[in-house]
Amino acid sequence: MIKDIIFQIKYTFSQVKFNRKKELNKRLKESFGNLKNDSFDFDSIEKYFRKKDNSKAYQVLSDKTCNDLDFDDLFMFLDRTHSKVGQQYFYNNLRTIQANEKQTKLNEEIIKELSENPELRISVQNKLEKLKHKDAYYISTLFQEEHLNPPKWFFAIKFLSFASLVSLILGFFNPIFFIVLLGVFCINFVLHYWNKNNLVQYVGSIPQLLKLNNVASHLFTNSLFKKLNPDLPKSIKLINEVKNRMSFFSLEAKLQGEFEIIAWFIFEIFKTMFLLEPLLLFGVLKRLNTKRSDIESVFKFVGHIDTLISITSLRNGLATFCLPIINDGDKIITKDISHPLIFNCTTNSIEIAEKSILLTGSNMSGKTSFIRAIGLNVITGLTINTCFAKSMTLPLLKVFSAIRISDDLMNDKSYYFEEVLTIKEMLEERENGNKNLFLLDEIFKGTNTVERISAGKSVLSALSKNNNKVLVSTHDIELTDMLSDEYELYHFSETVNANSIGFDYKLKEGKLKNRNAIRILEINDYPKEVVKEAIGIAKELDKTYLVKSTTNNNMYN
């Protein structure tokens, strides 16, 4: 009878486990290629990146450029990782441009296998799901941040722990020692709860490190993954040396969330009596402090694999994408490129060769979106070897931008001053010996017309030298004449009908010849006298500009 009950319990448990696994596998299959249905905690996601030493990277994308290109939105679109470790690693990977052809080749080999072998992919995803808890965000702190040091009086904790043990043993021979034990327990009670503030900093990260090491051990059994880090078993072994001590923290976490309150109470008394928490905590931290590089190696190994699965999933869900051709040339050539964050985006093609690109067009016609599309595709091409186009050829580039600029009231800086500082950095970077891509939207729009055009012309001429590529938009038609020898001219235009305005978002060669701003005022029922006066002033200004333009051309000739 008892055997039957035990058998039934085991059978029920195995069925529940089987059904859960079956459900998870179904979810993983259905989610492959789709957007994540998760919230994004960027403060936690960025933890690894903010502390990472990326000094050896070809470029680390600045916060300014990321803000200009809506990087957080891009990340939310690209991210298909299954672990918090992978999410942090993927974010860091997108913010750092590397120059490693060998690594890219290996990445593509693994991506190909993951794409063609769904059983392997789902098996790996199952393992990665174990690191989905938010506490896994804090694993990186174990190798990136300073650990707590024991207080100078830590010897007293060791003494009191020993005193409790001796008092307990002697109490069975002489009851008076139980009174001593009670007195020691009261002191230990204070110290035990003093240490809780220390423990709370690690009660999440250390158990997650155990899971990470376990996941890495399983993943390393795959011969293809071994190529990512052949020396990983050394790091796994070194971390396992502290496994027994770290398991205490896993038990602590389970007791807080799963076991009965009675079991927790008994365990808490036991820990308090012998001061186990401070003894184990500072002991583990001392050992982990010597294994920082090993923890990071395991972290990067698991994060790298999760990132490759994310890229595989991303590509599977795209109607059009390409692997970029990255060469030593100077040209950026793209066919049917799109902005990854614009649904049903109109595609465009362009070749940026000897000359840079100057864009004209009215507001909302597509200029800034096109500039961002080029910038984002260069970044994804150089970081995850994926472009949102039919084809794309480019050199290894550094990307800088001046698109979204605002007043810095806290530091008493105006819009114009902020733009001046941003563009100054670009002028310094143009002579860094690298190939650069500079993205600008309506240069110096924070100042008057004469100085805007004058400063804009001189800056854009300077930025385009030394094989640097510039994509810039402007409303100043005068710049198109002044920069025609250094910049290819393109424009976006709109169609204005009797009562509406439409955009085709198609890139067209040459400068914009039609102007519709005043016509749009008329369509929107501005007072007739306002529209009439605006038309009259525009005609007079056109005459003035024509005279000045003719005079300047004669002077240049």
Side-chain angles (χ1 to χ4, degrees), residues 157-259:
I157 291 178
K158 294 180 179 179
F159 173 77
L160 289 166
S161 177
F162 180 72
S164 290
L165 179 61
V166 172
S167 299
L168 179 64
I169 295 172
L170 294 178
F172 291 104
F173 301 98
N174 187 343
I176 196 170
F177 281 100
F178 282 121
I179 298 173
V180 175
L181 178 63
L182 181 61
V184 174
F185 181 85
C186 291
I187 299 172
N188 289 358
F189 181 85
V190 174
L191 293 175
H192 175 77
Y193 282 94
W194 160 83
N195 186 64
K196 286 292 184 183
N197 286 332
N198 298 328
L199 185 67
V200 75
Q201 299 179 48
Y202 298 96
V203 77
S205 58
I206 291 178
Q208 291 297 321
L209 175 59
L210 279 172
K211 289 183 180 180
L212 175 69
N213 213 39
N214 185 48
V215 169
S217 297
H218 282 94
L219 295 180
F220 193 79
T221 58
N222 185 286
S223 58
L224 197 55
F225 296 154
K226 287 180 181 179
K227 296 179 182 180
L228 293 172
N229 186 353
D231 298 325
L232 192 72
K234 296 177 184 177
S235 298
I236 293 173
K237 184 180 178 182
L238 286 170
I239 296 171
N240 275 336
E241 290 177 358
V242 200
K243 182 177 180 180
N244 290 335
R245 289 173 176 266
M246 290 195 296
S247 296
F248 167 83
F249 296 93
S250 297
L251 180 60
E252 170 75 10
K254 288 180 180 178
L255 284 173
Q256 288 180 357
E258 298 174 12
F259 288 4

